[in-house]
Amino acid sequence: MDREFWMGPSFPQQPRELLNRLKSYGVCVVADALKGFNAMNGSIQPVVPGKCICGCAVTVRLHPGDNLLLHKAIESAQPGDILVLDTNGSYRRAVIGGIMSGAAFGKGIGGLVVDGAVRDVEELRAHGWPVFAAAVVPCAADSDGPGQLNHPISCGGVPVHPGDIILADDNGVAVIPPTWVEWVLEGCEKRHQSEARRMAEIRQGQLTSAAVLGKLEKLGL
C-alpha cells in the first residue's frame, strides 16, 4: 500500500438491539446524558430532514477536494455502518453526490455524516437518503488521494474513532464511544424519566420547575 494511503483495521459491530435503544431516545436526550460532550457543532445539518440514524462509524479522512478513499470506504463498510467524513476543512468541492450515494445506500450503508460538502441534494431528498453535511456546492471532487480509512478523525468539532456509535437526527449528531454506552444509556433513562415528571407538572399547572423557582427566589426575582 502506498504510504499516502493509511488503512486501519476493522472494528467489532454493536448489537442492533443496543443501537435501537439509543435511537429510541434521540439525539437531544443522548446529548444531555453525554453532559454536552461529543455532540457535533451546528455546522452539520440534515440534508434530508426527518431521518434518524444510529450505527458504527467508518471514519474517512480525505485530502481537500478529493474523495478517492470514500470509494474504498463504501466498498469495505458493512450494512448499517455510518460513513463519517473529515474533508480537512474543504467546502468548495462536493465529496459525494447522487451517484456515489446510490452506491452507498444501495449496499445498505446506514447514513453519511460529512464535515464538508455534498451535491445533488434534489436526488438525495427524492430517495430519502439520510445524509448530514456542512455544506452544499455544485462542484465535484477529484479522485486521486491521498486519504485515511478507519483512523481517528475530527468531524463537526468532535473526535471520532472507528467503531464509535453515531446517532443523528434533525437535532444534530452525537458520538458515543463503545466504552461509554452503558452509562450513557443509564443517563438517557434518568433524563427520560425526569422529562416525563416535568411534563406532568406542567399539565398540572406548575409552569416552572421547583429548582428554577428556588433560584429565582434567592435572586429576589
Side-chain angles (χ1 to χ4, degrees), residues 29 36 133 161:
V29 172
H161 291 77

Side-chain angles (χ1 to χ4, degrees), residues 47-49 51 98 119-131:
V47 176
V48 181
K51 298 295 179 179
R119 70 177 196 168
D120 299 325
V121 294
E122 301 90 347
E123 188 172 354
L124 304 184
R125 290 168 182 160
H127 288 283
W129 288 327
V131 177

Side-chain angles (χ1 to χ4, degrees), residues 59-82:
T59 58
V60 189
R61 190 162 191 249
L62 300 172
H63 191 267
D66 192 275
N67 68 3
L68 182 62
L69 259 289
L70 178 54
H71 291 270
K72 179 63 178 178
I74 292 171
E75 291 284 347
S76 61
Q78 299 298 309
D81 285 345
I82 310 297

Side-chain angles (χ1 to χ4, degrees), residues 179-214:
T179 56
W180 294 12
V181 168
E182 289 304 320
W183 69 261
V184 168
L185 284 171
E186 290 176 6
C188 286
E189 185 56 28
K190 290 178 181 177
R191 183 63 179 174
H192 178 70
Q193 293 176 5
S194 173
E195 290 184 350
R197 288 192 298 269
R198 185 70 198 99
M199 290 303 298
E201 291 173 351
I202 291 172
R203 287 192 293 269
Q204 294 167 6
Q206 185 179 333
L207 302 183
T208 306
S209 71
V212 173
L213 286 174

Side-chain angles (χ1 to χ4, degrees), residues 72-138:
K72 179 63 178 178
I74 292 171
E75 291 284 347
S76 61
Q78 299 298 309
D81 285 345
I82 310 297
L83 303 183
V84 186
L85 279 55
D86 174 358
T87 68
N88 274 285
S90 176
Y91 303 100
R92 296 186 63 84
R93 289 178 176 264
V95 295
I96 193 166
I99 292 176
M100 286 183 71
S101 292
F105 291 107
K107 181 180 178 178
I109 297 303
L112 285 161
V113 179
V114 186
D115 197 342
V118 301
R119 70 177 196 168
D120 299 325
V121 294
E122 301 90 347
E123 188 172 354
L124 304 184
R125 290 168 182 160
H127 288 283
W129 288 327
V131 177
F132 299 76
V136 175
V137 298

Side-chain angles (χ1 to χ4, degrees), residues 22 25-40 167 169 171-176 180 183-196 198:
L22 288 166
Y25 287 112
V27 172
C28 287
V29 172
V30 168
D32 289 343
L34 287 165
K35 309 299 183 184
F37 287 95
N38 278 38
M40 293 187 187
L167 177 64
D169 61 24
N171 293 290
V173 185
V175 182
I176 307 138
W180 294 12
W183 69 261
V184 168
L185 284 171
E186 290 176 6
C188 286
E189 185 56 28
K190 290 178 181 177
R191 183 63 179 174
H192 178 70
Q193 293 176 5
S194 173
E195 290 184 350
R198 185 70 198 99

